[in-house]
Amino acid sequence: MKNTWKKTFSALSICALLTFSLASCGQDAEAPDAGQSSSTKVLTICTAKELDNLTTLTMNKENNIACGLVYETLVAYEKGKIVPKLADDWSWDETNTVLTFELRQGVAFTDGTEFNAESVKAILEFDSSNPNFSGIKGIYNIQSVEAIDKYTVAVHYDAPCFSYLNDFCFQNVAGMMSPEVFEAGNFQTFKEVAGTGPYVRDKIISGDCTRFVRNEKYWGEAPYYDEVIVKYIPEASSRLQALQTGEVDMIYGAELITYDDYNQALTLDGIAGKINEGSTLTRNLVLNAASKVLRDVKVREAIAYAINKQEITEGLTYGYETPAPTLFSKGAPYTDIRYNTMRKFDLKKASALLDEAGWIKNEKTGFREKNGKMLTLNYTYWSDISLAQEMALAIKTQLAKVGINAETTGQDQMTWWTEGVAGNYDITTWNTEGSYTEPHKFLQETLGADPHAVSLQALSNFEDYSAAVHQFSTTAEPDTVQNAIENALNISNDNVIDLPISYSKDLVVYSTAKIAGYTFSSVPQFFDINNVQPAK
């Protein structure tokens, strides 16, 4: 497949593209800020959006680059297991409805507030009242929180759920923040940024950068870098040029660097890179069974057969990503199931299904028609999702080969989400979130404020699907969870509600003058400062 979405470097002057100087955030060791030594170890990374709302209130993906610098969770996810973080240990009672955390001692928030059972109680009570957390059931479903003693806290639920502990791993929203920074009912802003992490936010310069300095009272091992500068550079070409000139040391994450950018960067002197071996999440489409055109399952099936996933992964990702035969990649808990139907690329099958559905190709236009109306689909996507536009254009081209006219529309996050929830789409993007969220959170959210809901409710066996999701969400019994998840996934797959395309990966490129390498964590969409290997 010819890749028509290649990006090339501009020949414009670096100075014209990079207006702001990093010296304002203290990055320039030749001209340090007052009190800053010329030997200060500084790491400069970048973001496409300013970190002007670095809170744990919402899942703003721009915060993935920096939330781990200042916030820490009670537990973390490593190599498929839940491990201690700010909680040394945890246990469930015999009913699996009371989760008790034994907290780490000797920890304080960067504003001086002590980290203890009372502070965790206040945080969890606040978080569970936040409507933005409705999809994170382990926190949203909390009924009460009890401080047993100074460093023991008990979380009470009405019913058990096998996945509740996983939900405490969310680095961007389940991080512990000082109780002094939030106000009851205010789910938009914090008074200040104060966590327990290895860094303190020192200053933010609008339009330029955010500076973090080492937390000298950090409870854990001191990080290597004295300072971390997160430079605001919205344009991809400018980020790459900043890396080449040494104005930034690293570009991290699939949201900031495409595979085209990655390959281009590796051709530059002094630049190296890496792609994580496992998958980050699944690039997925949702088909709207409630729409006039797609209410016929034969049309939805035809779309599934008409999309050549191999061509897409080779053309857009150079084969780094692999086609996704199932919604969740291998190894996701409870998803090693037997599917009733598996669909592979087959244009003849797609055409036959469309013929059976009464959509006849107009040989003049090349598109199919029924009752004088062209087979046209409204394909929407969130513009900020990596490769979303390129994938939409590729799929548009593939669907045209069987006579389907797909009209693609990129939307900002709020428009895409509200229109999706309202059912104003035929096809829309809706990726999984990977690692500790799979499969429970994806399936639970399909019944809420999610584009899936309107589509699933149009199915004749929707009640069976809903019952399956409810069943695994109210038990800790493994066999019951397994059977319920298998039922839910098969109902969705039989009806072609989800159409997984590929298993995505995360990427990093860096200057070898400053960095020797990077080790991806088990949750690669989040940057981990501890995994940077400085150059000797």
Side-chain angles (χ1 to χ4, degrees):
M1 175 182 177
K2 291 184 178 180
N3 191 335
T4 58
W5 305 283
K6 304 284 189 188
K7 294 181 175 67
T8 58
F9 280 112
S10 169
L12 294 175
S13 160
I14 300 294
C15 293
L17 288 169
L18 299 174
T19 306
F20 299 105
S21 167
L22 281 170
S24 58
C25 273
Q27 188 269 352
D28 190 346
E30 297 300 322
D33 283 356
Q36 180 191 47
S37 168
S38 61
S39 62
T40 299
K41 297 187 290 291
V42 180
L43 177 71
T44 304
I45 53 181
C46 57
T47 178
K49 292 187 176 181
E50 294 189 80
L51 302 179
D52 53 6
N53 192 24
L54 188 56
T55 72
T56 62
L57 295 168
T58 59
M59 289 186 178
N60 292 335
K61 60 189 178 68
E62 60 267 23
N63 289 342
N64 291 4
I65 195 71
C67 59
L69 298 177
V70 294
Y71 299 116
E72 295 176 310
T73 50
L74 294 176
V75 293
Y77 181 85
E78 292 182 8
K79 299 179 180 179
K81 297 181 179 180
I82 308 297
V83 299
K85 193 68 175 179
L86 290 177
D88 281 328
D89 200 5
W90 58 89
S91 61
W92 288 96
D93 75 337
E94 64 278 2
T95 68
N96 287 304
T97 61
V98 181
L99 174 59
T100 300
F101 290 106
E102 302 293 338
L103 304 179
R104 188 178 296 275
Q105 300 182 28
V107 178
F109 295 97
T110 54
D111 65 355
T113 303
E114 185 178 5
F115 173 79
N116 55 30
E118 289 296 338
S119 61
V120 171
K121 179 178 185 293
I123 293 165
L124 294 181
E125 288 176 341
F126 173 78
D127 284 348
S128 64
S129 70
N130 185 348
N132 297 323
F133 281 47
S134 61
I136 307 173
K137 303 302 183 183
I139 294 177
Y140 195 68
N141 286 354
I142 291 174
Q143 293 302 303
S144 64
V145 185
E146 179 184 6
I148 304 297
D149 58 38
K150 188 172 183 180
Y151 295 107
T152 306
V153 62
V155 181
H156 295 260
Y157 298 97
D158 275 350
C161 180
F162 78 102
S163 59
Y164 277 160
L165 185 61
N166 293 52
D167 291 346
F168 287 87
C169 294
F170 276 90
Q171 295 182 44
N172 51 352
V173 290
M176 296 287 103
M177 65 293 192
S178 169
E180 300 302 317
V181 305
F182 57 80
E183 300 173 293
N186 181 356
F187 306 119
Q188 302 299 318
T189 59
F190 281 171
K191 299 175 185 176
E192 187 50 77
V193 174
T196 64
Y199 288 88
V200 180
R201 190 185 71 174
D202 180 58
K203 62 181 176 182
I204 179 170
I205 299 177
S206 181
D208 186 1
C209 53
T210 304
R211 179 190 186 203
F212 299 87
V213 298
R214 190 159 56 189
N215 177 6
E216 299 300 342
K217 296 181 180 180
Y218 183 54
W219 62 268
E221 182 179 351
Y224 173 82
Y225 293 101
D226 299 299
E227 298 180 6
V228 179
I229 308 299
V230 183
K231 177 68 177 174
Y232 169 53
I233 309 177
E235 296 298 328
S237 60
S238 298
R239 291 194 290 270
L240 287 170
Q241 291 181 35
L243 178 67
Q244 186 179 19
T245 60
E247 298 203 50
V248 300
D249 304 318
M250 170 185 282
I251 306 174
Y252 185 85
E255 298 298 334
L256 294 181
I257 181 169
T258 67
Y259 293 104
D260 285 314
D261 296 333
Y262 177 83
N263 286 341
Q264 182 67 56
L266 296 190
T267 68
L268 304 175
D269 291 338
I271 304 300
K274 189 175 182 180
I275 297 176
N276 69 307
E277 293 181 3
S279 63
T280 298
L281 48 80
T282 305
R283 299 187 192 276
N284 180 60
L285 303 178
V286 181
L287 277 57
N288 188 359
S291 80
K292 292 181 179 179
V293 177
L294 296 187
R295 64 180 56 171
D296 188 338
V297 68
K298 291 181 179 179
V299 180
R300 302 198 299 275
E301 281 197 289
I303 293 170
Y305 283 112
I307 293 178
N308 188 338
K309 301 176 186 179
Q310 187 69 43
E311 186 179 66
I312 290 172
T313 56
E314 291 178 357
L316 294 182
T317 79
Y318 301 93
Y320 289 123
E321 296 185 10
T322 56
T326 57
L327 184 58
F328 303 106
S329 60
K330 187 176 181 180
Y334 301 103
T335 62
D336 184 15
I337 67 171
R338 187 183 189 89
Y339 282 93
N340 299 329
T341 304
M342 295 296 290
R343 303 175 184 87
K344 296 182 179 180
F345 173 61
D346 188 334
L347 286 179
K348 289 184 179 180
K349 181 72 171 177
S351 295
L353 284 164
L354 291 172
D355 288 339
E356 291 174 21
W359 291 96
I360 308 304
K361 181 176 285 188
N362 182 324
E363 296 301 331
K364 291 184 179 180
T365 65
F367 293 112
R368 292 176 179 269
E369 297 176 353
K370 180 193 282 189
N371 299 326
K373 293 185 177 181
M374 182 184 295
L375 178 49
T376 299
L377 301 179
N378 175 25
Y379 183 147
T380 65
Y381 59 91
W382 178 9
S383 301
D384 284 349
I385 295 180
S386 67
L387 287 184
Q389 180 181 22
E390 293 87 344
M391 189 169 289
L393 294 174
I395 290 174
K396 174 185 176 74
T397 299
Q398 292 182 348
L399 293 180
K401 293 179 181 179
V402 293
I404 298 175
N405 176 38
E407 296 181 345
T408 62
T409 305
Q411 299 170 327
D412 63 78
Q413 181 180 10
M414 184 55 66
T415 301
W416 162 76
W417 179 73
T418 54
E419 289 294 289
V421 171
N424 297 326
Y425 72 94
D426 293 307
I427 301 175
T428 194
T429 52
W430 195 266
N431 298 341
T432 70
E433 294 178 59
S435 60
Y436 52 81
T437 72
E438 294 181 350
H440 69 279
K441 183 174 183 291
F442 185 92
L443 295 174
Q444 288 166 344
E445 286 191 312
T446 62
L447 299 178
D450 177 316
H452 283 88
V454 67
S455 181
L456 288 163
Q457 289 167 16
L459 303 180
S460 61
N461 54 352
F462 167 69
E463 293 301 328
D464 294 334
Y465 178 91
S466 178
V469 173
H470 178 74
Q471 186 176 33
F472 77 68
S473 298
T474 53
T475 183
E477 206 285 313
D479 288 342
T480 303
V481 171
Q482 179 71 67
N483 292 333
I485 287 177
E486 182 168 355
N487 288 340
L489 288 176
N490 264 309
I491 291 171
S492 175
N493 184 65
D494 290 347
N495 288 283
V496 202
I497 302 302
D498 285 296
L499 183 49
I501 303 298
S502 68
Y503 300 129
S504 78
K505 296 179 177 292
D506 264 283
L507 313 84
V508 61
V509 290
Y510 50 85
S511 166
T512 56
K514 292 284 293 290
I515 298 170
Y518 182 86
T519 302
F520 288 99
S521 73
S522 299
V523 193
Q525 58 264 58
F526 293 96
F527 173 69
D528 190 335
I529 187 69
N530 296 311
N531 291 352
V532 178
Q533 291 104 47
K536 295 182 180 179

